[in-house]
Amino acid sequence: ELLDVCEFDNVRKRMSVLLRMPSGEILLYVKGADSSILPHVLEQAAKEQCDSHLLTFARQGLRTLCLAERVLSEEEFQDWHSRFKKAKATISEDRADLIHDLSNEVETKRPVKLLGATAIDDKLQEEVPETIEQLRHAGVRVWVLTGDKVDTAISIAMSCKLLTEDMNNFIIDNTTEQRITDILQDALEAESPALTIEGSKLIDAMEDDESRSLLFHAGQRCRSVVCCRVSPKQKADVVDLVKLMDEKAVTLSIGDGANDVSMIVAAHVGVSLCGKE
């Protein structure tokens, strides 16, 4: 029996359902990005094995999700359910925040048991590499802003011909020990540079005017820029950065999901694609 659904949102990066099983037991099933599931899993061996599999999938350009579960007592469920039901019936401005907080509570209050991970091949449409090449020939700079893992984003960028073997790709991610400003300076001076930067490092690269300026000019110098593991707000922030640093630039954002709305709205021209999903 389906008892409740906690819908996906861009902050939690998870969605979950609560079910009453034939035995009467109440189960929470949750799915989401590995960064939103694995921190709430206790079994270290299971996490390490899953991480290894996720890395393998990501290097193949597959889109991944993690799945987990936990058991709720009747008392815990009834207490949470009454508050969740009340929040959904609220018509005040903070309704979305109340629902978010209660969804987050039931998903993270206690550790969850990891069930596994899924990986799907999100196939490119026909002639994507050729289209990107034509845009480049027309003088359009193409930046990819995605929530994907670094390895997934690089793999997809390679298949799109956005990144090629002859490019010198500067990668800034959680494992990077060198100063971000030094890497961006190297990218400015390199031959055929490209830049791949993870969301957590993008925050650091945009923390003050000097570093934002360096990021922008390095990005303009690069043949390709891939920003991965970025939130919807960060996508919009990158668009705003370009608009701020180059007043003559005309920005175009193209997206196909709810995560892309803020980016589409931020650009001079926004294009939203309606897919089979």
Side-chain angles (χ1 to χ4, degrees):
E1 179 191 356
L2 179 62
L3 301 175
D4 277 305
V5 178
C6 300
E7 299 287 356
F8 176 89
D9 71 44
N10 294 324
V11 179
R12 289 170 25 251
K13 296 182 181 177
R14 294 183 297 264
M15 78 161 289
S16 56
V17 294
L18 289 102
L19 305 172
R20 188 183 298 278
M21 309 306 285
S23 63
E25 188 177 53
I26 297 173
L27 276 180
L28 167 82
Y29 284 107
V30 57
K31 70 173 183 177
D34 57 294
S35 59
S36 69
I37 300 290
L38 295 183
H40 307 292
V41 175
L42 279 184
E43 306 101 311
Q44 192 61 34
K47 282 204 287 189
E48 289 175 0
Q49 184 181 33
C50 189
D51 259 333
S52 172
H53 292 165
L54 289 169
L55 185 60
T56 300
F57 294 146
R59 285 174 175 166
Q60 296 171 23
L62 303 178
R63 314 290 289 270
T64 58
L65 284 176
C66 287
L67 309 169
E69 67 173 4
R70 81 172 177 91
V71 178
L72 281 77
S73 68
E74 186 70 37
E75 183 182 5
E76 180 189 359
F77 170 72
Q78 292 299 341
D79 172 62
W80 175 85
H81 174 71
S82 62
R83 290 181 288 128
F84 189 63
K85 188 176 179 181
K86 183 179 178 182
K88 289 198 294 183
T90 302
I91 56 173
S92 61
E93 289 183 358
D94 61 349
R95 178 178 182 273
D97 291 335
L98 290 171
I99 292 173
H100 165 83
D101 291 343
L102 284 164
S103 298
N104 196 54
E105 176 189 315
V106 76
E107 292 166 348
T108 64
K109 187 177 182 180
R110 290 188 173 85
V112 293
K113 177 185 176 184
L114 185 65
L115 295 175
T118 62
I120 62 166
D121 183 8
D122 196 358
K123 289 184 179 297
L124 293 175
Q125 293 188 24
E126 293 180 7
E127 299 185 0
V128 169
E130 293 83 355
T131 303
I132 289 175
E133 191 61 29
Q134 290 293 331
L135 288 170
R136 278 203 176 127
H137 282 314
V140 178
R141 297 184 184 277
V142 183
W143 291 25
V144 173
L145 312 175
T146 177
D148 284 336
K149 291 167 70 71
V150 175
D151 291 285
T152 304
I154 290 174
S155 179
I156 292 174
M158 294 288 280
S159 66
C160 291
K161 298 292 191 291
L162 195 68
L163 292 175
T164 57
E165 295 292 345
D166 65 320
M167 292 182 190
N168 188 1
N169 187 21
F170 291 85
I171 300 175
I172 306 175
D173 61 13
N174 284 331
T175 64
T176 302
E177 295 181 359
Q178 190 179 353
R179 287 178 59 202
I180 295 174
T181 51
D182 291 343
I183 297 173
L184 292 176
Q185 193 63 49
D186 290 343
L188 267 173
E189 299 166 4
E191 286 292 322
S192 297
L195 176 65
T196 301
I197 184 167
E198 195 170 10
S200 58
K201 296 296 184 180
L202 187 63
I203 294 173
D204 298 335
M206 296 182 70
E207 66 180 355
D208 57 56
D209 290 344
E210 185 178 348
S211 56
R212 276 197 296 270
S213 176
L214 181 58
L215 173 65
F216 169 75
H217 287 104
Q220 290 294 83
R221 173 82 173 78
C222 289
R223 290 173 61 188
S224 291
V225 176
V226 179
C227 302
C228 35
R229 285 283 191 179
V230 289
S231 68
K233 183 181 183 302
Q234 284 180 303
K235 292 182 181 183
D237 289 344
V238 171
V239 176
D240 288 334
L241 172 69
V242 175
K243 290 165 69 178
L244 178 68
M245 299 300 298
D246 185 355
E247 294 181 358
K248 294 181 179 179
V250 177
T251 56
L252 161 67
S253 289
I254 305 172
D256 65 353
N259 294 349
D260 302 317
V261 172
S262 55
M263 170 186 78
I264 291 168
V265 172
H268 293 101
V269 181
V271 176
S272 56
L273 303 177
C274 184
K276 291 180 181 178
E277 299 85 357

